Amino acid sequence: MNSQSEEDYLKALYHLQMESIRVNTNSIADYLKMKPSSVTDMLKKLAEKNYVNYQKYKGTSLSKKGKLVALQIIRKHRLWETFLVEKLGFGWGQVHLIAEQLEHIKSEELIEKLDAFLGNPKYDPHGDPIPNEKGRIEKMNQKLLIELKQNQKGIITGVKRGTASLLSYLDKENIKLGDGVKVLEIIEFDGTFIVEINKRKLTFSEKICQNLLLETYD
Amino acid sequence: MNSQSEEDYLKALYHLQMESIRVNTNSIADYLKMKPSSVTDMLKKLAEKNYVNYQKYKGTSLSKKGKLVALQIIRKHRLWETFLVEKLGFGWGQVHLIAEQLEHIKSEELIEKLDAFLGNPKYDPHGDPIPNEKGRIEKMNQKLLIELKQNQKGIITGVKRGTASLLSYLDKENIKLGDGVKVLEIIEFDGTFIVEINKRKLTFSEKICQNLLLETYD
DNA sequence: CAGGAAATTTAGTTTAGTCTAAAAGTTTCA
DNA sequence: TGAAACTTTTAGACTAAACTAAATTTCCTG
């Protein structure tokens, strides 16, 4: 069993590895708001447990085993965020800190039951994909509404970062994650989209379309 | 903000205080599976923070402030247990260990939203009452056994007028006033109650249930 | 390519929460 | 009432995970 702290490091490593294969000690320290010397200590410990490939002064990368653990934490984080938004009605900005705590709860069974309860979602409310139990992330087929053409369809999976007000607008319009969208018409003049959602015809400004994330089928 | 460990001690104190006002160091150690010396250390710390009234060699009691914290943790524990059983479909035997972790998640708002999501339940799946945000447990009142539902609990306070023979039956069965009763099962067909009293499983006819008075929590 | 700047590691310290062993206080009962 | 038994506290040590300060390595630039 891994400590909360170990889990935080593995998750940080995973996120930072998106940027570059080998991750600097200092960037981990920045990310986790810790001192580089503390990071060095923990990296040695994680290397000991074969979670990372650590080489003095040369940076660190996740091992296969470490990556799996990281993905399982990310899975938990995203499932909990989905729960908080979809079931408890939290708004966006609020969920991260809470999910950061919930992701460390230890119980395989809990997370599988939660997943089922949420209807096995593929994306969290930020539109980030939710890894499966084996740590696999389904290839994303994610697009912005503005990228769609007339008659194309998609399922709302989220909104781009920093657009909390769009979320509350959608909420007010009674539009939820998972709702289907079909592009009926695109007004060339101002980029407005006429779409159908839940059998209702709606008009979305260009700005909305630039921030609304969909999963598409093509 | 209190540590997980501090919260565990306060909760233990609360439960042990049901038995006797001043709680022994050793009984806390037993309850938490720690050594008495560790308990002494923590009690001093909690006394420093005014959560407990600790007197060397004389036992410990919760202060008003400590009791409130304990009740808020118990509230969280019981709400999460309710969630696990009602929403995720766990059996009640399985939920305790998970709720023990979830009860330490820090977020007022989370717990209020969870409470609302569950429909503001008054009892958890074990029939234990859920304290409100202010730590109040609703005042107990009297009911007939027949008014109870499965898993609810009560304390025997008497029998209805004119049923002396019921009293002597109880006496013969070695059941006394003040004994706790828990409804295990209600047989729909004939209204028979299967109950647990003093760790014994007993069957009560509908007529007995119509005449046995209990003190309950709601 | 030398030397300073930046990054990283090492060494030693701190804190919270636990432990063991021993000392001190309390209770019990012959 | 006093000695044994039990309870509790004290003293000192350990571990995980952080820190600071100093030493070391690597990088970059003139």
Side-chain angles (χ1 to χ4, degrees):
Chain A
M1 197 90 316
N2 308 305
S3 71
Q4 193 152 317
S5 187
E6 288 171 328
E7 292 185 351
D8 287 337
Y9 277 88
L10 292 174
K11 195 170 60 128
L13 243 347
Y14 182 87
H15 288 308
L16 292 167
Q17 228 171 46
M18 307 270 86
E19 304 297 309
S20 60
I21 304 298
R22 300 226 131 229
V23 179
N24 297 330
T25 299
N26 274 6
S27 52
I28 302 171
D30 283 357
Y31 190 90
L32 295 175
K33 285 167 187 159
M34 284 197 246
K35 300 299 164 190
S37 54
S38 310
V39 174
T40 302
D41 285 351
M42 182 58 92
L43 290 177
K44 285 178 179 171
K45 186 176 162 190
L46 293 172
E48 196 63 41
K49 290 187 167 194
N50 291 314
Y51 285 134
V52 303
N53 309 113
Y54 165 70
Q55 286 178 70
K56 263 191 186 184
Y57 298 105
K58 300 292 161 119
T60 305
S61 64
L62 281 172
S63 70
K64 204 156 197 172
K65 189 177 155 196
K67 190 176 174 185
L68 177 61
V69 175
L71 281 163
Q72 281 165 342
I73 299 158
I74 289 165
R75 168 173 166 77
K76 291 199 266 180
H77 183 98
R78 293 184 179 165
L79 283 171
W80 280 117
E81 281 198 343
T82 305
F83 170 72
L84 294 171
V85 170
E86 302 245 311
K87 300 293 182 180
L88 298 194
F90 272 97
W92 194 302
Q94 313 170 264
V95 297
H96 192 74
L97 277 176
I98 301 175
E100 204 101 271
Q101 299 177 66
L102 287 164
E103 74 192 5
H104 298 294
I105 301 293
K106 259 84 175 171
S107 167
E108 283 280 321
E109 202 177 353
L110 170 61
I111 215 65
E112 295 323 313
K113 283 193 194 298
L114 181 64
D115 188 30
F117 180 61
L118 297 171
N120 308 107
K122 285 194 190 144
Y123 301 101
D124 75 8
H126 304 91
D128 294 318
I130 298 173
N132 72 10
E133 330 77 272
K134 302 226 144 58
R136 223 182 61 243
I137 294 181
E138 299 235 338
K139 215 180 70 210
M140 284 222 266
N141 221 341
Q142 186 138 269
K143 284 191 174 158
L144 292 168
L145 176 52
I146 201 154
E147 297 171 88
L148 297 207
K149 306 234 159 50
Q150 192 170 26
N151 293 324
Q152 281 194 296
K153 294 174 183 170
I155 287 168
I156 297 176
T157 56
V159 301
K160 270 170 72 170
R161 254 176 216 287
T163 54
S165 57
L166 173 52
L167 260 193
S168 48
Y169 167 72
L170 294 176
D171 205 41
K172 194 160 61 73
E173 288 293 321
N174 208 17
I175 294 166
K176 296 183 298 300
L177 300 185
D179 284 355
V181 180
K182 179 177 176 183
V183 178
L184 298 177
E185 197 184 342
I186 302 168
I187 311 296
E188 219 182 347
F189 173 66
D190 61 357
T192 293
F193 275 53
I194 317 282
V195 299
E196 186 185 307
I197 299 179
N198 297 332
K199 319 211 175 212
R200 279 188 300 152
K201 206 171 178 178
L202 292 159
T203 304
F204 281 169
S205 69
E206 183 167 22
K207 187 159 181 202
I208 290 178
C209 299
Q210 283 167 340
N211 287 286
L212 191 62
L213 290 164
L214 306 174
E215 184 187 358
T216 57
Y217 304 112
D218 58 317
Chain B
M1 196 91 312
N2 309 306
S3 72
Q4 194 152 316
S5 189
E6 288 170 329
E7 292 186 350
D8 287 337
Y9 277 88
L10 292 174
K11 195 169 59 123
L13 243 347
Y14 182 86
H15 288 308
L16 293 167
Q17 228 170 48
M18 307 270 84
E19 302 299 307
S20 60
I21 304 298
R22 299 225 132 230
V23 180
N24 298 330
T25 298
N26 274 6
S27 51
I28 302 170
D30 283 357
Y31 190 90
L32 294 174
K33 284 166 187 164
M34 284 200 245
K35 299 300 162 190
S37 54
S38 310
V39 175
T40 301
D41 285 351
M42 182 57 92
L43 290 177
K44 284 179 181 173
K45 186 176 163 191
L46 293 172
E48 196 63 41
K49 291 188 168 194
N50 292 313
Y51 285 132
V52 302
N53 309 114
Y54 165 69
Q55 288 178 68
K56 265 192 185 182
Y57 297 107
K58 300 292 161 121
T60 305
S61 64
L62 281 172
S63 69
K64 206 156 194 173
K65 189 176 155 197
K67 190 177 173 186
L68 178 61
V69 174
L71 280 163
Q72 280 165 344
I73 299 158
I74 289 165
R75 170 173 167 75
K76 291 199 268 180
H77 183 98
R78 294 185 178 164
L79 283 171
W80 279 117
E81 280 198 343
T82 305
F83 169 72
L84 294 171
V85 170
E86 303 248 305
K87 300 293 181 179
L88 298 194
F90 275 96
W92 7 305
Q94 314 171 264
V95 297
H96 192 75
L97 277 176
I98 302 175
E100 204 102 89
Q101 298 177 65
L102 287 164
E103 73 193 5
H104 297 294
I105 301 293
K106 259 86 176 169
S107 168
E108 284 279 320
E109 203 177 352
L110 170 60
I111 215 65
E112 295 323 313
K113 283 191 193 301
L114 181 65
D115 188 30
F117 180 61
L118 298 171
N120 309 108
K122 287 203 190 132
Y123 301 98
D124 75 7
H126 303 92
D128 294 316
I130 298 173
N132 72 11
E133 329 79 89
K134 302 226 146 57
R136 223 182 61 240
I137 292 180
E138 301 234 342
K139 214 178 68 208
M140 301 231 267
N141 62 7
Q142 288 232 317
K143 279 193 175 161
L144 292 168
L145 176 53
I146 201 151
E147 299 173 78
L148 297 207
K149 306 231 159 51
Q150 191 170 31
N151 296 325
Q152 285 193 301
K153 293 172 180 172
I155 289 167
I156 298 176
T157 55
V159 298
K160 269 168 77 171
R161 252 167 223 294
T163 53
S165 58
L166 172 52
L167 263 190
S168 50
Y169 167 72
L170 294 176
D171 205 33
K172 193 162 59 81
E173 286 294 344
N174 207 18
I175 293 165
K176 297 181 297 298
L177 299 186
D179 283 355
V181 180
K182 179 174 176 185
V183 179
L184 298 178
E185 198 183 344
I186 302 170
I187 310 297
E188 217 181 350
F189 173 65
D190 62 359
T192 294
F193 276 52
I194 317 279
V195 300
E196 187 184 297
I197 299 180
N198 298 330
K199 319 215 172 198
R200 277 190 301 150
K201 208 171 178 177
L202 293 160
T203 304
F204 283 169
S205 69
E206 184 167 23
K207 186 160 183 199
I208 290 178
C209 299
Q210 282 165 341
N211 288 285
L212 190 61
L213 287 165
L214 306 174
E215 194 172 318
T216 59
Y217 298 109
D218 58 324

